[in-house]
Amino acid sequence: LDTQRGLSDWLPGRLAALAPQITVVGDVMLDGWWTGLIERFCREAPAPVV
């Protein structure tokens, strides 16, 4: 992997060729990074509102 700049180019094709069986137990969650200024905190949870 030291010669690869990113996994996004070849990884989906490689996984499709292998056809692995995957079991997900629990929730699947995709995370993302946001940047910005915090204006206030949310009333329902201790989370900043950006």
Side-chain angles (χ1 to χ4, degrees), residues 6-41:
L7 298 176
S8 62
D9 292 341
W10 63 273
L11 186 60
R14 177 75 175 168
L15 288 175
L18 294 174
Q21 293 183 2
I22 299 172
T23 302
V24 177
V25 178
D27 296 331
V28 175
M29 185 171 75
L30 298 175
D31 290 328
W33 293 96
W34 289 36
T35 59
L37 298 175
I38 297 173
E39 296 178 6
R40 60 183 174 87
F41 278 93

